[in-house]
Amino acid sequence: MDQPFPLPAPMRRALELARAAAAAGEVPIGAVVTRDGAIIGEGENRNRRDNDPTAHAEIVAIRAAAQALGDFRLTGCDLWVTLEPCPMCAGAISHARIARLYYALPDAKGGGVEHGARVFARPQCTHRPEIYGGLAETEASALLRDFFAARR
Amino acid sequence: MDQPFPLPAPMRRALELARAAAAAGEVPIGAVVTRDGAIIGEGENRNRRDNDPTAHAEIVAIRAAAQALGDFRLTGCDLWVTLEPCPMCAGAISHARIARLYYALPDAKGGGVEHGARVFARPQCTHRPEIYGGLAETEASALLRDFFAARR
């Protein structure tokens, strides 16, 4: 269920990026990294366009933000993404020292935060962000549903 | 314990890459992707050099192999790495459809294959490689020990 407050601007931007991914024939997922409220990195799914199995929206946004800062640690930065991160992306979020993780829609099938591998819940995980899930479930799930329906 | 057989050439190359990473001041981990026995992608840890929190050896090697093949799926390819992959890299290995995963040394602290998140053991994991761990424990652990000892 959507939260009873206006959607924060970074999540609105992540949803825009997800729509752009769909228009390019990619799974519609978008992500942004913010620092002090300003967007410093953006990403959308680019697996097919870039021939890159690692090019999930979160990875693309994290790499862009790290380039922008000139640092491999994004200490104090937040990540906003339209779907619960998979284990790969959850691991990247931990390595990057992301402070807060916001996602629009939980993902029981592929998620690795509150489902499956639960990467941040393991004692081996040396950095856990604060986690805010389910910020825009209706909009993010409609995007994914429409994308996969059009492909059947 | 090391296996009682000569180390396969791809793992010898991964250890060379790990030594190169150490010489560059990076955590000494190396990886290669092979297809039909030939190396099609190589990687060493590049976090600091590239300002990239995702630039673990496995991710670098997988991205290079996918570029070489012009495909975001490395179906039928194998990955050789000097340390048990972390959850991020295990997730990338699954997304890339790597057929066989070989690693030199298990990693109880950071590993996500036989430790911690155990990414491939989750019912949500849609592609699991065959896994061969512990191929060169003595050599890989000496590399890591020397690197961290020199930094203390």
Side-chain angles (χ1 to χ4, degrees), chain A residues 6-109:
Chain A
L7 209 51
M11 188 60 87
R12 291 203 307 272
R13 178 62 185 149
L15 286 161
E16 266 180 33
L17 290 161
R19 283 188 286 271
E26 304 268 3
V27 177
I29 303 173
V32 303
V33 173
T34 56
R35 190 190 197 190
D36 301 327
I39 292 176
I40 60 164
E42 296 190 339
E44 42 181 277
N45 241 1
R46 313 190 56 88
N47 291 142
R48 287 165 176 77
R49 282 174 282 183
D50 289 359
N51 293 323
D52 184 350
T54 74
H56 281 189
E58 300 94 315
I59 301 284
V60 176
I62 284 172
R63 299 180 80 220
Q67 287 305 305
L69 293 184
D71 194 336
F72 75 108
R73 289 191 175 151
L74 303 177
T75 310
C77 296
D78 302 333
L79 188 131
W80 306 72
V81 56
T82 56
L83 191 66
E84 178 185 343
C86 75
M88 174 181 76
C89 293
I93 287 163
S94 181
H95 292 316
R97 309 284 198 273
I98 292 287
R100 280 165 292 265
L101 165 64
Y102 301 87
Y103 53 88
L105 179 69
D107 181 9
K109 252 178 84 181

Side-chain angles (χ1 to χ4, degrees), chain B residues 14 17 24-26 39 60 66 74 83 95 98 106 133 144-145:
Chain B
L17 291 162
E26 304 269 3
I39 292 176
V60 176
L74 302 177
L83 191 67
H95 292 316
I98 291 287
L144 287 162
R145 192 183 54 235

Side-chain angles (χ1 to χ4, degrees), chain B residues 25-41:
Chain B
E26 304 269 3
V27 178
I29 303 174
V32 304
V33 173
T34 57
R35 190 191 197 190
D36 302 328
I39 292 176
I40 59 164

Side-chain angles (χ1 to χ4, degrees), chain A residues 107-126:
Chain A
D107 181 9
K109 252 178 84 181
V113 176
E114 55 178 293
H115 297 96
R118 289 180 168 80
V119 169
F120 303 125
R122 307 292 158 194
Q124 286 93 344
C125 183
T126 52

